[in-house]
Amino acid sequence: MKLGSRVSTLKESTVNCYRSSPKVSVVIPVFNGERFIGDAIRSALDQTFRDFEIIVVDDGSIDQTEKIVRQFSDRVAYHRQENRGAGAARNLGVMCAGGEWIAFLDADDIWYPQKLAVQFDAVAMNPAIAFVYSDMDTIDVHEAILQRNFLTTQVTTQVKRRRRKNDRDLVSLVFEGQPFPYPSTVLLKRELFSQSGGFSPLFRRNYHEDFDLFARIAHVTPLHFLPQSLVQYRRMPSTRIGDWYDANWALLLERLAELWRDHPDRLKQVEWLIDKHACKQGRTLLRSGEWLKARECFYAVFRRRPFYFGNLRWWGLSYLPVARQLYRMYRNQKSTASRFKRIGQ
């Protein structure tokens, strides 16, 4: 059964969900968000556009998140699920939604008061719009502004880079030269969300599941971008990215290849990214000493791209015992130097 059908079926069978008929359902997924969830909810409650409901889906938090959310009493509907990720939490929120439109808000982000009003002004001017998103300002954990109009600035930088390299990055390819739609900036019709299948449960740890969904939506309808910053996106301190990140990236590329199987130009571009990723996996295996598995990666790429010289170079390196030993010594020396540096600090 497709996820879209499952969303529809579950919606009919969910009897404990918040029932009303607002224009917009604001869906807030949260996991251990006690520090910021109150600010996110207040920014939604402070909207100048008033016809909305707020649905918080707790993704198995073990801190004080539930207590903080319940302080807003009947102004916020609270639902809880076992920890399955932000995508699954958003799916549940949409199942419980009564609105014609869905607006996502991450638990550590903040909306400016006019966010929904400005987006509905755009819809009023062009009723064909089914998906609208905006620019955003980035902030730190203390709400200090880091960069204004982040998405517009990012697109300008990417255009300059593409002109130098004479190619297109994946975001530009998927979203027709527009910036990536961060979830907290998005307002879309609930029907469009359901027809597109919702967020895929195949992605792990909240990476690329939003790209996957928005790419599928962009494949069937135009996305309308507003260059005005209507959201504050909180940049959190970086955390270690595990092996699942590469697995999510590979999964995203595979799904895009399937989506674009009837679009040769786009398919060619994504297949090139798939081969680059496979070569990268081979390099990672090579560095960890798994020579045979690395060679399998390089050989697979070689069969598709025999003149990919970067792949050939690394494939050749896997057959050079002296080079292997030198590389291992270099890695050990670098690791030792790094440890001494940390001790010195």
Side-chain angles (χ1 to χ4, degrees), residues 41-327:
I41 292 173
R42 279 186 285 273
S43 77
L45 290 171
D46 289 342
Q47 291 295 294
T48 58
F49 180 92
R50 302 305 303 167
D51 189 7
F52 62 84
E53 65 178 349
I54 300 176
I55 301 169
V56 173
V57 180
D58 189 338
D59 189 38
S61 298
I62 56 174
D63 61 358
Q64 297 298 308
T65 291
E66 180 176 357
K67 179 180 178 181
I68 293 170
V69 174
R70 291 197 181 281
Q71 290 175 355
F72 292 92
S73 62
D74 60 351
R75 293 181 295 173
V76 177
Y78 175 83
H79 301 280
R80 184 178 176 87
Q81 66 175 22
E82 64 180 21
N83 182 240
R84 292 187 287 132
R90 294 189 189 106
N91 286 341
L92 176 58
V94 175
M95 291 177 203
C96 297
E100 176 188 359
W101 292 80
I102 302 296
F104 297 115
L105 173 58
D106 285 351
D108 52 1
D109 293 341
I110 296 172
W111 282 351
Y112 288 120
Q114 72 279 19
K115 192 263 186 186
L116 292 177
V118 171
Q119 290 183 317
F120 275 114
D121 284 344
V123 173
M125 294 177 63
N126 183 359
I129 291 175
F131 186 114
V132 56
Y133 67 111
S134 73
D135 208 333
M136 64 187 192
D137 299 331
T138 57
I139 60 175
D140 63 14
V141 293
H142 306 294
E143 296 185 26
I145 298 291
L146 299 175
Q147 185 174 349
R148 295 193 183 275
N149 300 311
F150 174 78
L151 296 180
T152 302
T153 303
Q154 190 179 53
V155 167
T156 302
T157 303
Q158 290 171 346
V159 167
K160 292 179 179 178
R161 184 183 302 119
R162 290 197 302 271
R163 284 174 179 171
R164 289 197 303 268
K165 296 184 177 182
N166 194 30
D167 65 359
R168 297 183 68 185
D169 64 280
L170 192 60
V171 171
S172 175
L173 192 68
V174 173
F175 302 111
E176 301 293 346
Q178 297 184 140
F180 174 75
Y182 282 72
S184 291
T185 70
V186 168
L187 173 71
L188 79 163
K189 286 191 173 180
R190 184 176 63 174
E191 182 181 13
L192 177 62
F193 177 89
S194 298
Q195 289 174 348
S196 300
F199 293 95
S200 170
L202 299 177
F203 292 87
R204 301 167 55 197
R205 301 286 190 93
N206 307 333
Y207 277 93
H208 304 315
E209 84 288 346
D210 48 2
F211 197 121
D212 172 66
L213 172 61
F214 299 153
R216 282 183 273 124
I217 292 175
H219 192 62
V220 297
T221 190
L223 309 189
H224 188 77
F225 174 64
L226 300 175
Q228 180 179 351
S229 286
L230 301 175
V231 175
Q232 290 185 340
Y233 172 83
R234 198 182 304 270
R235 285 202 170 279
M236 304 298 291
S238 60
T239 56
R240 181 181 177 276
I241 296 178
D243 294 339
W244 42 265
Y245 181 88
D246 279 343
N248 280 12
W249 176 245
L251 175 61
L252 173 64
L253 294 177
E254 290 174 6
R255 289 169 69 88
L256 288 176
E258 175 64 20
L259 184 68
W260 294 338
R261 63 185 183 276
D262 297 326
H263 297 262
D265 291 341
R266 290 191 170 197
L267 182 59
K268 181 179 179 181
Q269 180 75 7
V270 78
E271 286 177 341
W272 165 235
L273 291 173
I274 289 172
D275 287 335
K276 285 179 67 175
H277 181 69
C279 182
K280 178 184 175 183
Q281 287 182 309
R283 295 198 304 269
T284 300
L285 290 167
L286 194 63
R287 289 171 181 141
S288 64
E290 298 184 67
W291 318 106
L292 295 179
K293 290 183 179 180
R295 287 175 197 159
E296 290 176 5
C297 288
F298 298 137
Y299 178 64
V301 175
F302 170 76
R303 291 182 62 185
R304 293 186 294 268
R305 298 182 187 274
F307 300 110
Y308 180 7
F309 293 105
N311 182 70
L312 291 173
R313 182 177 67 250
W314 284 97
W315 191 17
L317 182 62
S318 71
Y319 285 94
L320 299 176
V322 175
R324 295 182 207 163
Q325 184 63 30
L326 289 174
Y327 185 78

